[in-house]
Amino acid sequence: MTTVRRAVLTLPAAPLGPDNPLPALRAPAGAGAHAVDARTLAELPRDMARGLGRAPLRSLLPTPVRDGYGRDRTPADLDTIVVENDRLRVTVLPGLGGRVHSLHHKPTGRELLYRNPVLQPAAFALNGAWFSGGIEWNIGATGHTTLSCSPLHAATVRAPDGGPMLRLWEWERLRDLPFQVDLWLPEGSDFLYVGVRVRNPHERTVPAYWWSNTAVPEERRVLAPADAAWHHGYDRGLNRLPVPLAEDGTDRSYPLNGAHAADYFYDLPDGQRRWIAALDADGHGLVQTSTDALRGRKLFLWGTERGGRRWQEWLTEPGTPGYAEIQAGLARTQLEHLELAGEAEFSWLEAYGPLAADPATALGDDWAAARVDVEHRLEAALPRAAVDAAYTAWREGAADAEPESVLAVGSGWGALEVLRGGHVLPGTPFPESTLGPDQEPWRELLRTGVLPPPAKGAGPGAPLVAAPWRDMLETAPADPSTEYHLGIAQWHAGDRAQAVRSWERGLHRAEVRWPLLYCLAVADREDGHPQRAAERFAEALTDHEDHDGGEPVAAALGREAVEALLATGRPGRARELWARLPGEVRRRGAFRLLEIRILLAEGRTGEARAVFDEGFEVADLREGAEVLGELWAELTDEPLPDAYEFRMRPS
């Protein structure tokens, strides 16, 4: 019989730490790594180009940046939910985005996924903290979801066959959409079934994005039913290439044959069954398949060059085998977004399980024969018709079923939106009991038309930016806190001039001024006034010091102020502010990096080199970041040490 139960997993883990207290007014810092240059965009198929240009993020609002983690790991107990039958054991992390940590095939004793032996956050999610391994559910916009390290709601539900099913659900805040992920194991099944639904409860059309990413050991051959793929590296190109062979005869279906990190989005023909597999030298491994709505398939590889190997080590621990990712998404590429009409939904079914192919064929030189062999064996293990039938049974009989036993609780943001909009969402309740301190001021605004100010001397609360909340803020009494939040909502809507006016009005009467000064500094920088921006960042830091706002605020404002002063050629003032920061802050890797930049601006190259030689780690180094190599090159012609080599593209 299938069971669903709570359990605990102990792993060496780096704590997430506090969220960044500053509002995320700018687009994701790593957005450039996923961009496509104008020349390439002009040459793409028209529908693909439209998808690439659809509703890019102007900011990360209303989500916070998550950059409070470090790299010191200690054993930690993680809450898990285990879904198990006599064939598979599935371990899920409800507090970390609903990640499937392990998919263990009991008859063979094989782990089908790459299972990370540590929990090490890194700056790969749209809003920062993310970790590698397992199966992750990405919703929102191009990149890893903002929910990568956040709790989801979880409960048991009746599966289509009457057994227990695990439901995960939350309200995704970038696109303002509720979603659910249902996981179940039919009795005796070798395959995990996953039903996914993304709903648009609004009247307006919204951009939609979904990719299910599965980490697998990189010593595999990756097969998909395609003869071509769209290749995207970190050089802003998107080119259609034949698979599996490159021009030089290299077989692209083996991740370890790639030199540099790259994405290969397979161009699956219309009508073709959707699947992707990763097989070892014996022909054994994992296969993922789905109903046709989940159109795209992708291979991501880190490459064999130093940067890719360093990232692999960075995300886990030295001596750990590397991984690649096989992925499935709504569009052909991760750079595209679809349109989800008002009061409509996207839904589909995925299946994950073991596959045993003939290694002589599946790993042979005849790509067509290899694909046919894998597809025939998949059809024998899990017929396409069975997947379609399971989807129908789930969507018509189980997707709307109400949860029975609550296993974990997510955020209160969905409850707030349901309270405001009166949304009816069968199967995914967001009860008022989940509302917490972050939502309480907004519930008061909804009830009384007045946004309560923060406690005396405290910073502002979490923002909301959707149009209905902006409308309420515009009619609320205009105290400094309300002006601050109104300006953020206006900024998000693209009305930046009005946002600045709101922040300036609030500044005149504010007791705690640093939140408004920070917002005005960002606006100055975005509007091409870097000198004024730098002064306002510095003024915000001084105001924070006067009000003793805590170390997270000091670190966030100090980093912004020092960077802004360096950008305007004022290393002396930058050093003065850097020196005022708490010693614990200055010892962090990000601030050692700032110290190097200050020393270089002062012409003190020997001391800058000494910081490199002493060693430091920037815990929140962004995907695709090249700053370490650039600073090293200013100091010396020597090769960049491996510890600082994170470049993901050819020189």
Side-chain angles (χ1 to χ4, degrees), residues 300-429:
F300 167 76
L301 56 93
W302 281 106
T304 56
E305 290 293 320
R306 291 198 306 153
R309 305 330 293 171
R310 179 63 174 130
W311 274 118
Q312 293 259 33
E313 181 183 75
W314 184 256
L315 296 171
T316 177
E317 59 185 3
T320 301
Y323 75 96
E325 289 187 0
I326 57 174
Q327 306 179 8
L330 284 174
R332 281 168 297 187
T333 74
Q334 279 178 330
L335 312 181
E336 301 167 77
H337 294 74
L338 303 183
E339 289 187 338
L340 180 54
E343 301 179 348
E345 69 175 50
F346 287 136
S347 61
W348 62 91
L349 184 118
E350 306 180 41
Y352 297 80
L355 189 79
D358 174 18
T361 304
L363 307 181
D365 294 335
D366 188 333
W367 177 248
R371 287 170 36 195
V372 168
D373 181 66
V374 171
E375 187 152 350
H376 283 174
R377 292 173 186 271
L378 171 60
E379 185 66 19
L382 184 63
R384 185 178 188 178
V387 173
D388 292 339
Y391 166 73
T392 300
W394 167 74
R395 183 61 194 87
E396 295 181 355
D400 287 347
E402 292 302 318
E404 297 176 354
S405 299
V406 174
L407 300 175
V409 178
S411 78
W413 295 113
L416 186 66
E417 292 302 328
V418 167
L419 192 63
R420 181 201 58 76
H423 305 301
V424 178
L425 301 168
T428 55

Side-chain angles (χ1 to χ4, degrees), residues 1-23:
M1 294 292 292
T2 298
T3 59
V4 178
R5 57 184 171 84
R6 289 191 183 97
V8 174
L9 173 69
T10 302
L11 288 179
L16 285 170
D19 290 344
N20 191 305
L22 307 179

Side-chain angles (χ1 to χ4, degrees), residues 444-469:
E444 189 68 11
L445 173 65
L446 185 63
R447 189 178 68 85
T448 66
V450 178
L451 184 69
K456 184 176 178 61
L464 283 175
V465 296
W469 296 106

Side-chain angles (χ1 to χ4, degrees), residues 611-630:
V611 178
F612 268 112
D613 292 343
E614 183 180 341
F616 63 94
E617 293 183 323
V618 182
D620 63 337
L621 194 70
R622 290 294 313 192
E623 175 185 9
E626 299 181 353
V627 62
L628 293 172
E630 292 167 353

Side-chain angles (χ1 to χ4, degrees), residues 407-603:
L407 300 175
V409 178
S411 78
W413 295 113
L416 186 66
E417 292 302 328
V418 167
L419 192 63
R420 181 201 58 76
H423 305 301
V424 178
L425 301 168
T428 55
F430 293 95
E432 287 191 50
S433 60
T434 62
L435 293 168
D438 283 344
Q439 294 83 40
E440 190 54 41
W442 297 99
R443 179 162 68 167
E444 189 68 11
L445 173 65
L446 185 63
R447 189 178 68 85
T448 66
V450 178
L451 184 69
K456 184 176 178 61
L464 283 175
V465 296
W469 296 106
R470 186 175 72 248
D471 292 343
M472 282 184 266
L473 288 168
E474 287 177 344
T475 58
D479 63 12
S481 175
T482 302
E483 296 283 18
Y484 165 82
H485 284 288
L486 175 58
I488 289 176
Q490 291 164 333
W491 180 270
H492 175 75
D495 191 354
R496 296 191 168 188
Q498 189 58 55
V500 169
R501 285 192 285 271
S502 295
W503 292 327
E504 287 175 339
R505 285 196 303 268
L507 189 63
H508 292 314
R509 293 184 291 147
E511 177 186 348
V512 178
R513 305 172 76 242
W514 66 260
L516 292 151
L517 286 166
Y518 167 77
C519 292
L520 289 168
V522 172
D524 283 335
R525 182 159 55 192
E526 297 288 309
D527 291 341
H529 305 295
Q531 299 280 354
R532 191 166 67 199
E535 288 302 323
R536 275 180 161 158
F537 281 130
E539 188 180 354
L541 178 60
T542 299
D543 182 76
H544 157 74
E545 292 168 337
D546 292 342
H547 289 91
D548 191 23
E551 189 175 284
V553 178
L557 286 176
R559 196 169 177 179
E560 293 276 8
V562 171
E563 289 180 350
L565 289 164
L566 287 172
T568 55
R570 286 182 280 177
R573 180 81 167 119
R575 173 170 291 283
E576 176 193 335
L577 292 191
W578 181 85
R580 279 168 32 195
L581 296 173
E584 170 61 28
V585 171
R586 295 199 309 273
R587 286 189 289 271
R588 297 177 194 168
F591 292 86
R592 300 304 307 276
L593 183 63
L594 284 179
E595 182 183 10
I596 290 172
R597 292 178 56 191
I598 293 170
L599 289 166
L600 281 170
E602 294 170 336

